[in-house]
Amino acid sequence: MLPVNATSSMQISTLLLICFPGFQTWQHWLSIPLALLYLLAMGANIMILAVIHRERQLHEPMYYLIALLAVLDLVLCTSTIPKTLGILCFGWTAIDVPTCFLQMYIMNSFLASQSGAFLVMAFDRYTAICNPLRYSSVITNSFVAKAILFILVRNIVLGAVHPLLATRLHLCSSNVVENCICTVVSVASLACNDSTVNKVYQLSTGFILLGGDLICIFLSYCLILQVVLKLRAEGAAAKAFSTCTPHFILISFFYTLLLVFIFSNTMEKKISPDIPILLNVLHLVIPPALNPIVYGLRTKEIKQGIIKMIGKERTDLRVKEDTTD
């Protein structure tokens, strides 16, 4: 499919996603590490969900939050990375406008939901360390269910505004989107009519949701640090830090990569346009690949569940082979 002429006034029904405009000759090589990260993210998150489902001892609030994060990771990866790999490997750049708007909706809603999940996890760690005697009465299954419902409703409703605003855009200047993913800014740049509302809503909701979550998470960890430094029992501080480490690593990586992406977009005139595109893709695949690995390695109960599940699978396979013989 050929790009639409820039002077055309017809409403566009199909868009062309051009991943890296400045590096078309070698971009297919990027598909190799990206495919490996995608497979790692899918396999690791599915394993985490399977372990939490199978092990009754993991049917607790904290592990339900980890399961929520795994589900969000799977949806984000599946909605964006396969299409990106198709573009890089086979040149499947075409995407119809409704599918593009759906991808835009999922990306905005589920990224904000990840941020909300990190906020609830931070409150979980705050309660466990700062109010340990009240932990079992505060962090209950009911609390987690309500928190998850709030996170999803908040971001599903607010995220739905992005594609609704996008439908009012008259896409006629071009059908070439210089991005691997249908972002609000990339699609809005094709509009012949005013797209200021779309961009302002994107910035304002991002600042309110992600910025607000980050501030609350930062305050919770300041309070945790204050309490931990006062612990005098031998090994108490080390144990407290150990329980927070996996969560702190994931939060730091998630928001650091997000902030780098935001700043790179604000400096787009000073840097190559391919850099924000690359950061956008990496932000959708590296955290999903990292999250289950960190929790799997740093959380004792999940690590034991993984070892137990792998051991059982090997035993079942050995029994099956013996039976066949």
Side-chain angles (χ1 to χ4, degrees):
M1 182 173 293
L2 296 176
V4 174
N5 191 292
T7 60
S8 174
S9 60
M10 293 178 61
Q11 176 71 10
I12 295 167
S13 59
T14 302
L15 301 173
L16 302 179
L17 297 174
I18 307 300
C19 272
F20 301 101
F23 301 96
Q24 291 287 294
T25 55
W26 64 267
Q27 67 174 14
H28 59 280
W29 292 107
L30 182 61
S31 64
I32 298 174
L34 186 61
L36 292 175
L37 283 170
Y38 174 64
L39 291 174
L40 175 61
M42 295 297 290
N45 280 291
I46 289 172
M47 179 174 286
I48 289 289
L49 289 173
V51 169
I52 293 175
H53 174 71
R54 291 178 62 165
E55 299 296 324
R56 294 183 63 85
Q57 63 176 353
L58 300 182
H59 293 180
E60 295 180 2
M62 183 179 73
Y63 301 107
Y64 290 144
L65 291 172
I66 294 175
L68 170 65
L69 191 61
V71 171
L72 295 174
D73 286 340
L74 288 171
V75 174
L76 269 172
C77 278
T78 304
S79 64
T80 55
I81 303 305
K83 178 60 180 177
T84 301
L85 290 173
I87 297 170
L88 297 177
C89 295
F90 308 107
W92 296 340
T93 59
I95 182 171
D96 60 87
V97 171
T99 303
C100 180
F101 288 174
L102 176 62
Q103 190 183 75
M104 180 192 301
Y105 168 65
I106 291 173
M107 188 174 65
N108 283 283
S109 299
F110 282 77
L111 274 176
S113 295
Q114 277 188 325
S115 178
F118 284 133
L119 174 60
V120 180
M121 288 178 172
F123 180 71
D124 172 87
R125 292 300 86 198
Y126 164 78
T127 307
I129 294 171
C130 300
N131 296 292
L133 297 179
R134 296 188 57 203
Y135 180 81
S136 59
S137 61
V138 174
I139 309 298
T140 61
N141 289 341
S142 175
F143 166 80
V144 170
K146 291 176 182 176
I148 291 174
L149 182 62
F150 170 75
I151 290 169
L152 294 178
V153 170
R154 178 192 76 168
N155 299 306
I156 286 172
V157 171
L158 294 177
V161 179
H162 291 291
L164 289 175
L165 287 175
T167 58
R168 61 178 286 277
L169 297 176
H170 190 64
L171 306 178
C172 62
S173 63
S174 172
N175 68 335
V176 176
V177 179
E178 293 188 351
N179 207 324
C180 301
I181 301 160
C182 289
T183 64
V184 172
V185 175
S186 297
V187 175
S189 65
L190 306 182
C192 295
N193 55 333
D194 187 17
S195 60
T196 303
V197 174
N198 301 67
K199 296 175 182 178
V200 169
Y201 184 78
Q202 168 84 355
L203 291 173
S204 59
T205 53
F207 178 78
I208 293 170
L209 295 179
L210 302 181
D213 290 347
L214 180 58
I215 290 171
C216 293
I217 291 169
F218 177 76
L219 291 175
S220 69
Y221 269 96
C222 286
L223 294 173
I224 288 172
L225 182 62
Q226 185 179 20
V227 170
V228 167
L229 293 177
K230 293 180 181 180
L231 296 176
R232 296 183 180 180
E234 186 177 353
K239 184 177 180 181
F241 276 123
S242 179
T243 61
C244 290
T245 299
H247 185 231
F248 185 74
I249 291 172
L250 300 181
I251 287 174
S252 300
F253 196 84
F254 177 84
Y255 284 104
T256 299
L257 191 55
L258 183 62
L259 291 173
V260 170
F261 169 64
I262 292 171
F263 285 129
S264 66
N265 270 281
T266 59
M267 299 172 61
E268 58 183 356
K269 294 182 179 179
K270 298 180 181 179
I271 62 175
S272 169
D274 295 301
I275 293 178
I277 295 173
L278 178 62
L279 288 172
N280 198 358
V281 174
L282 293 179
H283 188 256
L284 293 171
V285 69
I286 292 182
L290 183 68
N291 293 347
I293 293 174
V294 172
Y295 275 116
L297 294 177
R298 298 288 306 182
T299 306
K300 177 182 171 184
E301 292 79 7
I302 292 180
K303 186 193 298 185
Q304 290 176 343
I306 292 173
I307 294 171
K308 182 179 176 181
M309 187 173 71
I310 293 174
K312 188 177 185 303
E313 293 295 334
R314 287 179 177 176
T315 302
D316 292 344
L317 181 61
R318 193 178 297 114
V319 170
K320 185 178 180 181
E321 288 176 350
D322 292 341
T323 305
T324 304
D325 294 339

